[in-house]
C-alpha cells in the first residue's frame, strides 16, 4: 500500500455538451484552468457511444491486464476517477470508470474502465484539483516495469523522476 497526504485546491464544474468527446473535453477544461492532477468524485451524463474495457469470452489469464473492449451505444452513465499528469507524454492522464445503463436494453448495465465516449445530450463533471508543488504535479501516471512488463499505468505521488 502507498499513501500520501493531499492538498485540495480549486473545484471546477465541466459541462460537456451533445456530440463532444468525453476525454478531449475533459482535457481541454483542465488545461483551461491549469489543472494537472485531481479527481472526479462522481459525474453523471449520457453517452451516444462508448468503448469500455471488457470481453465476451473467457479470459485466458484473469490476473493480466485486459486490452479488449466492447462498444456500446445510448447509455446513461455515472462515473468517477483520478486525473494525473503523464510527464513522458506531457499530457493529462485520466483514469475513469463508469457504471452505465443501456437505454434500449431495459437499462441493462455495464461497469468498466472508460476508454472513450461521445456525449449524448449532456455530461456534468465536477473536478477537484489536487495541488502540486513547484517541482511538479501532486499526482503522476507512469508505467511500472515490474507490473506486467510495464503495460499498466500506475498512479504516483509527486513529480516523475
Amino acid at each position: 500500500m502507498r499513501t500520501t497526504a493531499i492538498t485540495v485546491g480549486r473545484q471546477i464544474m465541466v459541462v460537456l455538451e451533445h456530440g463532444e468527446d468525453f476525454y478531449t473535453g475533459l482535457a481541454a477544461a483542465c488545461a483551461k484552468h491549469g489543472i494537472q492532477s485531481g479527481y472526479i468524485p462522481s459525474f453523471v451524463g449520457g453517452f451516444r457511444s462508448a468503448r469500455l474495457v471488457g470481453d465476451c469470452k473467457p479470459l485466458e489469464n484473469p490476473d493480466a491486464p485486459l486490452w479488449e473492449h466492447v462498444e456500446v451505444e445510448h447509455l446513461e452513465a455515472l462515473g468517477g476517477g483520478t486525473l494525473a499528469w503523464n510527464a513522458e507524454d506531457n499530457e493529462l492522464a485520466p483514469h475513469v470508470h463508469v457504471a452505465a445503463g443501456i437505454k434500449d436494453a431495459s437499462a441493462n448495465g455495464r461497469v468498466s474502465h472508460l476508454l472513450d465516449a461521445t456525449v449524448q445530450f449532456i455530461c456534468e463533471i465536477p473536478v477537484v484539483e489536487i495541488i502540486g508543488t513547484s517541482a511538479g504535479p501532486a499526482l503522476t501516471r507512469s508505467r511500472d516495469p515490474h507490473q506486467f512488463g510495464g503495460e499498466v499505468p500506475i498512479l504516483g505521488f509527486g513529480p516523475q523522476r
Side-chain angles (χ1 to χ4, degrees):
M1 175 178 65
R2 297 175 295 121
T3 67
T4 190
I6 61 171
T7 302
V8 175
R10 299 165 294 163
Q11 297 180 42
I12 65 169
M13 190 69 183
V14 180
V15 177
L16 300 179
E17 296 175 329
H18 188 74
E20 285 191 82
D21 179 82
F22 180 87
Y23 282 121
T24 301
L26 178 61
C30 288
K32 177 180 179 178
H33 292 276
I35 295 175
Q36 292 186 321
S37 61
Y39 63 94
I40 300 167
S42 180
F43 72 85
V44 296
F47 294 145
R48 181 183 331 138
S49 61
R51 287 187 320 126
L52 306 173
V53 169
D55 205 344
C56 295
K57 63 181 190 279
L59 300 176
E60 195 173 298
N61 179 359
D63 293 327
L66 179 63
W67 303 114
E68 301 297 324
H69 68 273
V70 296
E71 296 187 23
V72 287
E73 294 183 336
H74 307 291
L75 304 166
E76 294 294 329
L78 171 69
T82 55
L83 305 171
W85 191 254
N86 178 336
E88 184 176 309
D89 296 328
N90 198 36
E91 64 186 9
L92 190 67
H95 181 201
V96 175
H97 283 242
V98 297
I102 302 171
K103 290 193 283 187
D104 63 353
S106 300
N108 188 3
R110 300 288 189 270
V111 177
S112 193
H113 175 84
L114 180 67
L115 294 172
D116 62 50
T118 301
V119 173
Q120 184 172 31
F121 306 125
I122 199 163
C123 188
E124 303 160 348
I125 311 167
V127 173
V128 179
E129 177 184 38
I130 297 176
I131 304 292
T133 66
S134 60
L139 301 179
T140 57
R141 193 162 324 279
S142 59
R143 298 187 182 277
D144 181 347
H146 300 95
Q147 290 221 12
F148 292 98
E151 293 181 45
V152 180
I154 302 297
L155 186 68
F157 306 135
Q160 291 176 331
R161 301 186 199 291

